[in-house]
Amino acid sequence: MAVMGISRFERFFRAAAGLDVDKNDLRRYHEFLDAKLYDLLLIGQAKAKANGRDIIEPFDLPITKGLQESIHRFRRLDEEIEVEPILDLLARRPPLDLAVSDIIDEKLSEIAGGLTHALSQAFRIMYPDRRNPQTLQWQGVQRIFDLLL
């Protein structure tokens, strides 16, 4: 990730939850994002297959009320920080058995932004006194997301 992208993500995590992230955190974040987008799309694929379709549509994705609210919060916060263009590059679509609709491709960076906002809030809830999350905190937050997504 370019230096400009790193500084924007640092600003985003600081604005969203008062967190100070470094390059190691951004590597962990990227791994988290890849895994959670894959999980969402995998469930979407299963739902599309169960309904006899060969294209994953937005309504196939398990977007919860909480994630939808995080997507809205991300949009508001992103207006000043402008992280979404970087998320367009980071939010990679994993290889799947089914095709993904164009609408999902267009919305993938916003979904990634919602996951990012939810991630920052999870750190604040689980570790309210921690400003710079370490490996142990990352593992704890990721375990919670693994349970829910």
Side-chain angles (χ1 to χ4, degrees):
M1 184 184 307
V3 174
M4 177 77 111
I6 292 171
S7 66
R8 283 187 189 174
F9 273 103
E10 289 172 342
R11 282 181 41 215
F12 180 84
F13 278 99
R14 204 171 308 115
L19 298 174
D20 293 324
V21 295
D22 58 27
K23 288 181 184 177
N24 288 330
D25 293 320
L26 294 176
R27 180 188 48 77
R28 290 181 192 113
Y29 160 71
H30 195 235
E31 291 170 1
F32 164 84
L33 191 59
D34 281 348
K36 293 301 111 197
L37 287 174
Y38 177 75
D39 291 348
L40 288 171
L41 290 167
L42 191 64
I43 296 302
Q45 176 177 269
K47 189 173 177 185
K49 281 183 178 181
N51 289 305
R53 287 182 281 102
D54 58 357
I55 296 178
I56 304 168
E57 296 291 346
F59 50 82
D60 293 321
L61 300 180
I63 305 292
T64 63
K65 177 182 176 277
L67 181 53
Q68 186 65 49
E69 289 172 355
S70 288
I71 291 169
H72 292 304
R73 288 185 192 109
F74 165 76
R75 286 181 192 142
R76 285 193 298 271
L77 193 57
D78 189 53
E79 287 178 8
E80 69 180 64
I81 299 174
E82 297 178 355
V83 175
E84 189 170 357
I86 300 163
L87 284 173
D88 284 336
L89 300 173
L90 290 180
R92 297 181 300 219
R93 188 167 40 89
L96 300 165
D97 295 339
L98 300 182
V100 173
S101 75
D102 291 342
I103 296 170
I104 290 178
D105 272 338
E106 292 171 11
K107 299 283 185 187
L108 207 54
S109 61
E110 282 187 348
I111 294 168
L115 287 168
T116 303
H117 191 275
L119 174 72
S120 69
Q121 295 304 300
F123 277 115
R124 187 53 49 222
I125 291 166
M126 291 178 65
Y127 308 103
D129 298 329
R130 174 68 72 163
R131 287 189 51 85
N132 186 344
Q134 301 299 308
T135 302
L136 187 63
Q137 288 81 36
W138 274 94
Q139 290 170 344
V141 168
Q142 286 175 329
R143 287 176 52 204
I144 295 299
F145 274 84
D146 288 343
L147 284 172
L148 299 174
L149 290 181

